[in-house]
Amino acid sequence: MTDIAPTHEPLKFAYWVPNVSGGLVISSIEQRTDWGYDYNVKLAQTAERVGFEYALSQVRYASSYGAAQQHESTSISLALLLNTEELKVISAIHPGIWHPAVLAKFINTADQFSHGRAAVNVVSGWFKDEYTDLGLEWLEHDERYERAAEFIQVLRGLWTQEKFSFHGKYYDITDFTLRPFPYEVPGRAHPDIFQGGNSTAARFNGGAFSDWYFSNGKDFDGFTEQYDDVTRIAAEHGRRTRFGLNGFVIQRDSRAEAERQLREIIAHADDGAVEGFRKSVQEAGASTKDGKGMWADSSLDDLVQYNDGFRTQLFGDAQQIAERIIEYKKRGVDLFLLGFLHFQEELERFGETVIPIVRELEADLARTGDPIEVAAR
């Protein structure tokens, strides 16, 4: 058992931007959401008002698996930044589709326009067809993470150095300067760099290079195992990595009612789309040397929410959800990345009812000095 030092920094909350059609569950159940511009602007403004600090714009190019339509991630992220005042917006991007210098230049502009609120999530890629059908090189799993590691290093170098040079396997940069640099924010070296994954290669990148490590939905033990591994790697590199955890919120008047809603979502799953998604994503786990990877151990029920959000079990009334969130904080979570069935009303309700309880519980934890208990490991 590893004792985790308590953090008194307030938990941060992010939401998945519904910039792809179909919502966040692969189910025919009603999802009151919309992938369009007007809906997403209103949602971002609501999220900012009720206490969310981040939003993550999804990246999908090929029409597939319940996402028949999709807006490009950096474009909608810039739109949301220009329609908000405090919300930070993370653009998910793929190395191999973007050149790091081109992305760095785009983010510099978005960051300047938004006064320091742009961020990126470097996604190594799981959907082979998005590369091969466009005539782009498809790398094997660990090679994709090697390229992502170089991509992150080039981003950071171009954002912080003049006449930056980097000579790697995938990128070769010589004496290059981007102007303007990102917007100057006190205490921030450059825009936040997020990266996720479950595999050994992903964990290494998270500890060695990224500012933030995103975990798919996990129970307490599953998150703790990843936290310990990535934290160890970060310490070996003289760094600190912060942790985000995916969760799908079903907030109802009781736990029983929330669980009924969960069963209904799964009962109406689009079995063909879920199975197609499973076959595509679980190739990533199977292709790694140790069998680890995103979705490698996910069941079909888990994959109805395509980032394993059900596993985090944020189900119940406001008090129950807040208490479970605090238990994750005790285990090292710094940020929750959340999805909802009916985005506008459920995100607003969460911000108005759950986040205030979380803040009260955080204050109690800081005041009492309650040690971090990890008895459930």
Side-chain angles (χ1 to χ4, degrees):
M1 183 178 74
T2 303
D3 290 331
I4 302 171
T7 174
H8 297 313
E9 293 182 13
L11 277 165
K12 301 181 186 302
F13 292 94
Y15 73 93
W16 287 94
V17 175
N19 58 298
V20 303
S21 63
L24 283 193
V25 294
I26 309 174
S27 175
S28 62
I29 194 170
E30 180 189 14
Q31 298 182 68
R32 291 192 292 277
T33 184
D34 192 299
W35 62 289
Y37 172 82
D38 291 339
Y39 182 91
N40 272 287
V41 167
K42 181 181 178 182
L43 183 64
Q45 292 170 343
T46 300
E48 180 176 67
R49 175 175 57 80
V50 299
F52 284 76
E53 293 186 49
Y54 287 88
L56 171 62
S57 296
Q58 305 172 67
V59 60
R60 187 75 69 86
Y61 291 93
S63 177
S64 61
Y65 310 126
Q69 310 287 344
Q70 62 277 156
H71 289 304
E72 193 275 327
S73 60
T74 60
S75 302
I76 196 165
S77 293
L78 179 57
L80 299 183
L81 287 168
L82 296 178
N83 281 280
T84 53
E85 296 180 358
E86 297 179 353
L87 190 72
K88 302 177 181 70
V89 186
I90 312 161
S91 301
I93 60 87
H94 284 126
I97 293 177
W98 282 92
H99 187 283
V102 177
L103 178 71
K105 186 67 173 178
F106 181 95
I107 296 297
N108 283 359
T109 299
D111 204 55
Q112 286 284 337
F113 288 179
S114 65
H115 292 178
R117 294 186 287 118
V120 296
N121 181 34
V122 178
V123 180
S124 296
W126 58 266
F127 193 10
K128 184 177 181 179
D129 291 353
E130 287 189 325
Y131 285 79
T132 58
D133 290 356
L134 293 173
L136 299 172
E137 183 181 20
W138 176 251
L139 302 175
E140 289 306 312
H141 180 277
D142 287 1
E143 292 177 307
R144 296 199 301 274
Y145 278 95
E146 290 174 6
R147 179 172 62 187
E150 289 192 8
F151 193 99
I152 291 169
Q153 292 173 79
V154 172
L155 278 183
R156 182 173 282 117
L158 289 170
W159 281 339
T160 58
Q161 300 177 38
E162 296 188 358
K163 295 186 176 181
F164 172 72
S165 294
F166 181 92
H167 305 294
K169 180 179 178 181
Y170 300 99
Y171 302 107
D172 191 40
I173 313 292
T174 302
D175 293 338
F176 205 85
T177 301
L178 286 181
R179 286 291 188 181
F181 278 163
Y183 189 81
E184 187 172 341
V185 176
R188 187 194 74 162
H190 52 73
D192 286 341
I193 300 172
F194 291 77
Q195 174 254 315
N198 291 346
S199 67
T200 299
R203 297 175 190 207
F204 179 81
N205 280 9
F209 301 113
S210 305
D211 302 319
W212 290 85
Y213 178 83
F214 270 139
S215 173
N216 263 14
K218 293 288 182 184
D219 61 16
F220 292 149
D221 288 345
F223 174 77
T224 294
E225 189 269 334
Q226 285 197 336
Y227 176 93
D228 287 345
D229 203 17
V230 175
T231 299
R232 173 187 57 79
I233 294 166
E236 290 171 354
H237 289 78
R239 308 182 66 251
R240 179 202 170 207
T241 300
R242 290 176 288 178
F243 289 82
L245 177 65
N246 183 60
F248 190 84
V249 175
I250 305 180
Q251 181 182 351
R252 299 295 184 267
D253 291 337
S254 68
R255 173 83 183 200
E257 185 179 349
E259 289 178 344
R260 283 196 297 272
Q261 178 71 87
L262 173 65
R263 290 194 296 271
E264 186 179 0
I265 293 170
I266 294 172
H268 289 83
D270 183 336
D271 293 336
V274 175
E275 176 61 19
F277 179 68
R278 183 193 68 81
K279 287 181 178 179
S280 291
V281 300
Q282 292 194 339
E283 288 178 0
S287 67
T288 61
K289 295 176 182 177
D290 56 10
K292 294 180 180 179
M294 295 281 276
W295 306 285
D297 61 347
S298 302
S299 70
L300 285 174
D301 285 357
D302 292 331
L303 293 174
V304 175
Q305 201 295 300
Y306 46 77
N307 282 94
D308 287 341
F310 298 155
R311 287 185 166 193
T312 310
Q313 297 184 42
L314 301 182
F315 312 141
D317 62 25
Q319 183 71 34
Q320 290 168 324
I321 293 171
E323 289 175 357
R324 187 163 180 87
I325 284 171
I326 288 296
E327 290 304 313
Y328 275 110
K329 176 175 180 169
K330 291 179 180 180
R331 289 159 171 81
V333 174
D334 299 288
L335 176 150
F336 277 88
L337 174 60
L338 303 176
F340 303 87
L341 191 64
H342 308 306
F343 255 91
Q344 182 67 238
E345 59 257 51
E346 293 190 4
L347 178 149
E348 185 172 27
R349 182 185 183 191
F350 179 93
E352 291 178 344
T353 61
V354 177
I355 292 180
I357 298 173
V358 169
R359 298 301 179 221
E360 292 175 2
L361 295 174
E362 286 180 316
D364 290 343
L365 191 64
R367 182 172 57 253
T368 62
D370 185 15
I372 302 302
E373 294 292 338
V374 199
R377 297 187 182 186

